[in-house]
Amino acid sequence: MSLVSYTQATGHFENGEFENAQRVVSACLQEVYANIHRFVLTENLQNIYRTKVSVIVVSHRNSLEACEVGRGIEDFVRCEDVELIFVGNGLEIPDGGSSRYREKARVFGLPENIGCSAARNVGAYVARGECLLFLDDDASTGAADLDLLASSCLDREAVAVRGRIVPKSGSGLTGNHYDLGEDLKPAPPTTEGFSAWQAVAFEKYGGFDPLLAGHEGMDLCCRMLGEVDTERFLYQPGALMRHDYAEDDRQHAQKAEKLRLSDRYLAFKGIDKDRLSSALKEVEKEYAV
């Protein structure tokens, strides 16, 4: 089946027609959720009532094995209280993975690309875990890193925990928000593809804004302010992911342009991300671990 066009929503968004973009993307997601059963390619009913962590990977590729992030996390995914949700975001037909992950995978194949944030929301919508752990498909990390990220969320009763990201290679470009140093401390969840969220809070506040591909973690965090203490958003430097922010200067400039558009959209919504950054800096001064 085809969906109400997500492409139409992004067209409105890129033209600065934010109200129209919101209307179209809302219709698209309502249709996805209403027909979620049609997109199930592999369902796993093991330990349905004992899941603590839902690992969510969104990709254009056809399986976790085909994704860089699938190498090295097998031991964590095999844990009894962990489930794997793989959302095939259009383009290729997900096959559920080979024997390494097939027994643990819940696979959903969307008929078209609905963007990273909307597809992650789909993963969260079907997740059973108390903790939602989002991973970029083109990065590398290890089982111990995922365990630390998830346990920091669950054991410290954090609403969101982000990890530390370093370039995959010496030539890789990094973002200034990737590596925040050696100390565990409050910080905004600005590395959405390497973050753990309390599932109840993620759902209560509406998840990621489906129009955003950049600043979506900051946006969600800002929507929680006032009801959620700032110290419940953590940076965990011990959890490491290798990922290149951009391959070259051209791609870096393209990302910067997209973020400027996202800033305009946040202003339209009345979101002040600078207020959040200031609040977290004040908490960090008093924070001790």
Side-chain angles (χ1 to χ4, degrees), residues 87-201:
V87 182
N89 203 14
L91 298 185
E92 293 188 19
I93 302 300
D95 64 9
S98 67
S99 58
R100 273 199 300 157
Y101 291 109
R102 189 181 299 277
E103 291 183 359
K104 293 300 294 285
R106 303 176 65 206
V107 182
F108 297 80
L110 303 180
E112 64 182 68
N113 183 348
I114 63 170
C116 60
S117 290
R120 284 173 179 153
N121 287 349
V122 170
Y125 180 78
V126 299
R128 304 174 182 132
E130 302 169 32
C131 171
L132 309 174
L133 206 166
F134 297 104
L135 298 179
D136 279 331
D137 68 334
D138 61 343
S140 63
T141 187
D145 299 284
L146 300 193
D147 183 62
L148 181 57
L149 201 63
S151 63
S152 296
C153 183
L154 292 167
D155 298 344
R156 293 178 179 272
E157 298 184 348
V159 168
V161 181
R162 53 146 299 181
R164 182 181 189 179
I165 303 182
V166 298
K168 288 191 284 187
S169 62
S171 60
L173 296 177
T174 187
N176 57 14
H177 61 297
Y178 268 23
D179 187 341
L180 302 184
E182 302 288 341
D183 299 324
L184 176 68
K185 60 187 177 183
T190 50
T191 57
E192 296 83 2
F194 191 42
S195 63
W197 295 76
Q198 184 187 102
V200 171

Side-chain angles (χ1 to χ4, degrees), residues 4-286:
V4 174
S5 178
Y6 182 82
T7 302
Q8 183 183 356
T10 57
H12 286 309
F13 184 78
E14 290 168 0
N15 290 330
E17 301 164 357
F18 297 137
E19 283 191 34
N20 287 335
Q22 288 178 327
R23 174 179 51 79
V24 175
V25 80
S26 175
C28 175
L29 279 178
Q30 285 178 20
E31 197 166 334
V32 170
Y33 296 146
N35 295 280
I36 194 69
H37 63 283
R38 299 190 184 185
F39 308 132
V40 179
L41 300 184
T42 302
E43 183 66 291
N44 188 297
L45 300 178
Q46 294 180 1
N47 305 318
I48 185 171
Y49 301 113
R50 295 199 296 274
T51 301
K52 281 191 175 181
V53 181
S54 298
V55 176
I56 300 170
V57 178
V58 172
S59 181
H60 304 308
R61 297 168 179 83
N62 66 357
S63 69
L64 188 58
E65 275 76 11
C67 301
E68 185 174 350
V69 77
R71 306 161 204 160
I73 65 171
E74 184 179 4
D75 287 347
F76 182 76
V77 174
R78 278 181 171 171
C79 293
E80 186 179 28
D81 58 358
V82 174
E83 70 171 350
L84 167 66
I85 298 172
F86 186 88
V87 182
N89 203 14
L91 298 185
E92 293 188 19
I93 302 300
D95 64 9
S98 67
S99 58
R100 273 199 300 157
Y101 291 109
R102 189 181 299 277
E103 291 183 359
K104 293 300 294 285
R106 303 176 65 206
V107 182
F108 297 80
L110 303 180
E112 64 182 68
N113 183 348
I114 63 170
C116 60
S117 290
R120 284 173 179 153
N121 287 349
V122 170
Y125 180 78
V126 299
R128 304 174 182 132
E130 302 169 32
C131 171
L132 309 174
L133 206 166
F134 297 104
L135 298 179
D136 279 331
D137 68 334
D138 61 343
S140 63
T141 187
D145 299 284
L146 300 193
D147 183 62
L148 181 57
L149 201 63
S151 63
S152 296
C153 183
L154 292 167
D155 298 344
R156 293 178 179 272
E157 298 184 348
V159 168
V161 181
R162 53 146 299 181
R164 182 181 189 179
I165 303 182
V166 298
K168 288 191 284 187
S169 62
S171 60
L173 296 177
T174 187
N176 57 14
H177 61 297
Y178 268 23
D179 187 341
L180 302 184
E182 302 288 341
D183 299 324
L184 176 68
K185 60 187 177 183
T190 50
T191 57
E192 296 83 2
F194 191 42
S195 63
W197 295 76
Q198 184 187 102
V200 171
F202 190 89
E203 179 182 2
K204 177 181 177 181
Y205 292 92
F208 295 131
D209 188 307
L211 290 170
L212 288 172
H215 293 338
E216 60 268 32
M218 183 76 81
D219 167 73
L220 178 52
C221 188
C222 285
R223 283 185 271 130
M224 294 178 174
L225 278 187
E227 296 185 27
V228 176
D229 294 335
T230 48
E231 59 263 30
R232 296 184 70 190
F233 300 94
L234 293 177
Y235 165 69
Q236 173 53 266
L240 190 69
M241 171 179 272
R242 298 188 179 279
H243 182 262
D244 288 339
Y245 179 73
E247 294 180 0
D248 51 36
D249 291 335
R250 179 173 171 273
Q251 191 180 73
H252 195 281
Q254 289 174 338
K255 282 199 167 188
E257 182 61 32
K258 289 182 72 173
L259 288 177
R260 282 191 285 272
L261 179 59
S262 294
D263 282 336
R264 287 177 55 202
Y265 178 56
L266 292 184
F268 162 79
K269 293 174 63 176
I271 297 291
D272 186 354
K273 61 186 180 67
D274 292 332
R275 181 171 71 93
L276 171 61
S277 297
S278 297
L280 283 165
K281 284 179 181 177
E282 288 301 314
V283 172
E284 184 181 341
K285 292 176 184 177
E286 305 172 2

